[in-house]
Amino acid sequence: MGTPLRPHRRHFMRTTVLAVGSLVVLVAAVATLAITFPWSTAGDNAPVVLAVIVSIGVLALLASYVALVGIGGIIVLHRDSREERGLPYLPARPRERINGPVRTAIRRAVSRGAPFRPGEIAEVRTLPEILATLDERGCLDGMPFMPEMAAYCEHRFPVHRRVDKVWEYAHGTGVRRVRGAVLLATLRCDGQRHGGCQAACQLIWKEAWLRVPGARVAPAPAVAGRLDLDACTQVSVGGGRRYVCQMTEIIRASTQISWRDPRHYWRDLVGGNVRFAPLVAALGVRAFHGVNWRLWGSSWPVLTPLESDATPHRELGLQPGQMVRVKSKKAIESTLNRKLRNRGLEFGTDMLSCAGGSHRVVARVDRIVDERSGELLEFKTPSILLEGAHANGGTVLTPQNEYFFWREIWLEPQSPTSEQPP
């Protein structure tokens, strides 16, 4: 006798079956109406013809939405099944549409001032050129140019993603619009000028700080007095030191937008941040969430934590370079309190995509700059950063590529399968 389905999974299956059945009915209705209507003899009755065309259009739009719900349901069922079995479901392909050299050359020939897109090579301008774009706070449009970024001046890097929006969670303001900014592949903040912060946030680059490789270099405008970037990283608040970085200033560098506004998806598609298939998957899961929540009140991903405030603790002494395996969802649930936390650190539901997967330890983290207050926080219990375990942007598809923070109790050491001879 098989294991009975958990209630949330029954709800997911019911909603998916309902969506597929509704789609069949709607497609049949559109086909029947289009085929059986006497188009040849109804030409003199314009109002009736118009009503039929509008009806077909409305039914087709409704069928498209129901199809999205069905696609989302199938994806959710697949991912939920892998979570229950302790298997990861990280994407095999990048979600970005990478521009090759030929397409990039054509774009640059058509429009020299075209914005950068994923895969294109960007060259960081000289430090004097960048300083000329900054205000007295060391910012451009509210976005700080941090001293940790100066080492990359006059070097070339591929663009990872455009930053047209961010998800601001420190203050709970949600989706925010950013203009003229990109992420450059592999470039992360080392935190040396911010109290040794170890969060390793991916650096955000305004396009005004970059140029197309080989472009003519104009003389940097004269700047009255050299801006001290180090002095811009700290402020005094109530007699205490507070750090200023791109993450603490993200509200100043962005404007509020509604998460219901669909235009940010369109910008993702045309800007190359997402291919068509991942976009449809994200929209499908989001549409499925809305319908399933209204029908049954359940949402995905599903975590069943402990009914207590206390949590177990375990230290493994993991070190950078060591291979580990992320535990299964069931094993992680037994370490979380009712607030989905272990010793104060929240286990985000996006992290379930890594459950069961193998990763290399990047670093141990025991201090970070708090994005809300700018205060340097010292961890009582170190966290672990894992290679390839990054935030995925959820159904909003935000471009942020930040590391997940892991408790060692959520991981287990993994022995190498083979050893290389000396």
Side-chain angles (χ1 to χ4, degrees):
M1 187 174 181
T3 304
L5 290 176
R6 297 176 67 176
H8 74 268
R9 189 162 179 82
R10 288 200 299 269
H11 297 162
F12 295 162
M13 294 180 68
R14 290 173 184 172
T15 303
T16 304
V17 171
L18 179 62
V20 173
S22 300
L23 177 62
V24 172
V25 172
L26 288 169
V27 170
V30 170
T32 301
L33 193 57
I35 294 173
T36 60
F37 184 75
W39 299 99
S40 58
T41 59
D44 297 334
N45 197 344
V48 175
V49 173
L50 180 61
V52 171
I53 294 175
V54 170
S55 299
I56 291 175
V58 170
L59 289 174
L61 286 175
L62 186 57
S64 300
Y65 178 76
V66 171
L68 270 181
V69 175
I71 292 171
I74 293 171
I75 294 172
V76 165
L77 284 169
H78 169 71
R79 294 177 179 176
D80 183 73
S81 173
R82 294 188 70 87
E83 290 172 4
E84 295 294 327
R85 291 181 291 158
L87 300 174
Y89 51 88
L90 293 171
R93 293 182 59 192
R95 81 183 195 197
E96 305 84 33
R97 187 176 69 252
I98 305 299
N99 269 357
V102 175
R103 182 179 295 178
T104 299
I106 294 174
R107 288 185 65 246
R108 294 300 174 192
V110 173
S111 175
R112 293 187 178 182
F116 287 103
R117 291 187 178 178
E120 298 179 351
I121 302 299
E123 182 178 341
V124 182
R125 293 182 181 272
T126 64
L127 186 57
E129 287 180 286
I130 294 174
L131 293 178
T133 69
L134 307 180
D135 59 21
E136 67 280 359
R137 298 177 54 252
C139 299
L140 173 60
D141 299 332
M143 184 70 71
F145 180 85
M146 304 189 299
E148 290 90 345
M149 304 167 73
Y152 303 116
C153 289
E154 301 182 68
H155 289 75
R156 300 177 180 182
F157 305 94
V159 174
H160 178 51
R161 289 175 186 158
R162 294 196 56 77
V163 184
D164 293 320
K165 60 187 172 185
V166 294
W167 183 271
E168 198 285 313
Y169 54 85
H171 297 84
T173 59
V175 188
R176 301 183 66 86
R177 178 82 161 96
V178 179
R179 300 178 186 275
V182 298
L183 303 178
L184 299 182
T186 74
L187 299 192
R188 293 183 176 271
C189 178
D190 62 18
Q192 293 303 308
R193 309 296 180 86
H194 289 80
C197 173
Q198 300 169 320
C201 299
Q202 191 142 16
L203 297 168
I204 300 176
W205 298 83
K206 300 291 285 187
E207 290 184 282
W209 302 336
L210 309 172
R211 61 167 162 252
V212 177
R216 184 175 62 87
V217 180
V223 181
R226 188 176 179 86
L227 181 66
D228 187 353
L229 292 177
D230 286 311
C232 296
T233 63
Q234 301 178 28
V235 294
S236 179
V237 178
R241 177 187 299 175
R242 296 292 184 268
Y243 288 96
V244 177
C245 70
Q246 291 184 338
M247 292 299 99
T248 64
E249 300 299 293
I250 199 66
I251 289 184
R252 291 176 181 263
S254 59
T255 55
Q256 186 73 55
I257 60 176
S258 172
W259 66 274
R260 295 185 178 88
D261 186 347
R263 288 178 295 179
H264 62 87
Y265 289 118
W266 174 250
R267 288 190 291 267
D268 285 335
L269 185 62
V270 299
N273 264 17
V274 63
R275 294 178 287 108
F276 185 71
L279 176 61
V280 171
L283 291 174
V285 172
R286 183 169 171 176
F288 176 83
H289 272 316
V291 173
N292 192 75
W293 178 257
R294 286 169 175 80
L295 290 177
W296 322 107
S298 59
S299 61
W300 172 87
V302 177
L303 278 170
T304 308
L306 301 172
E307 289 295 329
S308 68
D309 295 322
T311 54
H313 172 59
R314 184 186 182 191
E315 291 190 13
L316 303 174
L318 299 175
Q319 298 300 321
Q322 189 172 351
M323 291 298 297
V324 297
R325 178 181 177 275
V326 181
K327 291 183 178 179
S328 67
K329 182 177 80 167
K330 185 175 181 180
I332 292 174
E333 286 176 333
S334 64
T335 70
L336 305 177
N337 64 16
R338 57 171 57 94
K339 295 182 180 180
L340 300 181
R341 296 175 182 269
N342 180 278
R343 298 180 68 82
L345 180 64
E346 182 179 5
F347 184 87
T349 54
D350 284 354
M351 299 167 71
L352 284 173
S353 61
C354 303
S358 297
H359 299 269
R360 191 179 304 277
V361 174
V362 173
R364 294 177 65 87
V365 176
D366 52 31
R367 70 177 68 89
I368 64 168
V369 171
D370 180 43
E371 297 178 9
R372 183 180 181 89
S373 66
E375 182 181 3
L376 187 66
L377 303 179
E378 298 280 350
F379 289 173
K380 295 180 180 179
T381 304
S383 295
I384 304 296
L385 304 184
L386 300 179
E387 185 179 286
H390 308 137
N392 55 34
T395 59
V396 183
L397 294 175
T398 51
Q400 290 144 293
N401 196 40
E402 307 305 340
Y403 282 118
F404 292 132
F405 285 15
W406 301 87
R407 284 281 185 249
E408 289 184 282
I409 198 172
W410 300 336
L411 311 172
E412 54 189 11
Q414 192 172 34
S415 301
T417 56
S418 62
E419 296 185 2
Q420 295 293 333

